[in-house]
Amino acid sequence: MFKHAQLESVKAAIAQPAHAAMPLHARIQRAIRKLIVDGALGPGKPLPATRALARSLEVSRDTVEAAYAQLHAEGFIDRRVGSGSFVAEMIEFASGARLSRRARLSRNQAPNLSRRGAAMFQSGGVRERLSPRPFAHGIPETRSFPLALWERLERQVRKDAGTQLLLHGDPQGMEALRRAIADYVNLERGARATADRILILTSSQQAMSLCANMLFDPGDRVFIEDPAYYGARKAFDAAGLECIPVPVDGQGIVADRILASPQPAKAVFLTPSHQFPTGVTLTLDRRLALIEWAMRNQAWIIEDDYDSEFHYAGKPTACVQGLDPYERTIYIGTFTKSLFPGLRIGYVVLPPQLVKPMTVARTLLDGHTAPMTQMTLARFMEGGHFGAHVRAMRGVYAKRLDLLARLVRDHLSDIVEAQVPAGGLQMPCLLTGDLSESRAIDAAQRVGIELLGLSGLHAADGGKAGFLMGFAAYTPLEIETAVRKLKSALQAIG
């Protein structure tokens, strides 16, 4: 028979809100099964009669009978005519309580991961806030996105394509979207792209992981900007690559360091339009020098053009891929910054010889990107709506950047120096006094303000202390309110 504690355990399981959608007999069956698996009910132990248990649980006898029938069908209990129901003699559960304690202990121990798995886990991943708050970086304005237009285009796609969109999609991506992207990057970024050289992915992060695992072996050297985008560094570290930091100055990555390096490397990773996190633009002479270096060394240039649409001063420089006649540049783009993060569509423009290998490798990760979303985006671009949206947001973001820079000068000039970028969605600020970066970020966090520290983006200690302030996703009132809160928080800690 059940002890009091066991009966209470069953009652508690029945009352669990998380199980409210389950039939009552299934809740009772799961609760008794757990007692058996955990060893609280040992082999051969009798179960209460269905009538008695029904009375104790205040349910019908039929409900308990259904629970017992399922336990019997699964082999957890034996039912003997005239004798009752008993826990089955199962060797694997004979020491259930001991095994349960051991299992609970093992959950607190380090998992038995591969070296690559351990590196991925220890990196902490690349996580974004579900509900951003000032001044979280890299997030576009989504509240003014033309959602009604998007929904109308999606309905048109469903009407025209029907159930065909419910099937597996082309792992390289829908041709209509690849054509639209090729037309866009050729016109706006000076690229040399064709639809057959584009691979549609879920994100730029997926593109970097693909490159890291398909082009390089563990131990291979890769030049990377210092400071650098943390997602790229983590993707390369997880693949077992040796990241060689190269400093960044006012003209971008110091290409002479790469050209003069006595040790060979397989690639260089760049954010040339708006270097992350400094915001500087890589000059034309350095772009051309790196193209020649890649050709001579048969190395790759991985160009992450993550937010090049938003350039506020002058005309943006053509992308490295468009300048490269040797087909050594892999161009990565994303719609996360230009449209909305929930879209989950990125792309890569590949040299011809990499298209098939990369497409095959992509099928091992997630097969393909949702066709319906791809086709909706294709129509959004073909109808000129993407260009119109980007132009509108470029004006909005430029005003928000100007406002943030002015507010920082007016209210925080004794603490930080704003480094106003020529484009992008965030502004770096350098700490100028004695206040430490960690204390500043902690103080901001306590008042609901999100800042990304700059020093942690450097490969080694000695990077300039400061933080990034994202501005694109926040209204002028939200920006002003947050700056004043940040000022109070920083002044309060001296």
Side-chain angles (χ1 to χ4, degrees), residues 109-114:
Q109 297 170 353
N112 187 21
L113 301 175
S114 67

Side-chain angles (χ1 to χ4, degrees), residues 224-295:
I224 189 168
E225 298 164 329
D226 188 27
Y229 171 55
Y230 50 85
R233 191 187 301 278
K234 289 180 178 183
F236 299 148
D237 286 345
L241 309 184
E242 182 184 357
C243 292
I244 309 300
V246 181
V248 171
D249 62 18
Q251 300 180 62
I253 193 169
V254 180
D256 286 347
R257 295 284 189 96
I258 296 173
L259 305 181
S261 176
Q263 295 179 291
K266 293 291 185 72
V268 57
F269 173 79
L270 303 172
T271 52
S273 293
H274 305 132
Q275 198 278 330
F276 187 93
T278 65
V280 301
T281 299
L282 184 63
T283 58
L284 179 60
D285 60 327
R286 294 187 182 186
R287 295 176 188 231
L288 297 175
L290 290 174
I291 290 170
E292 293 298 322
W293 168 84
M295 183 273 295

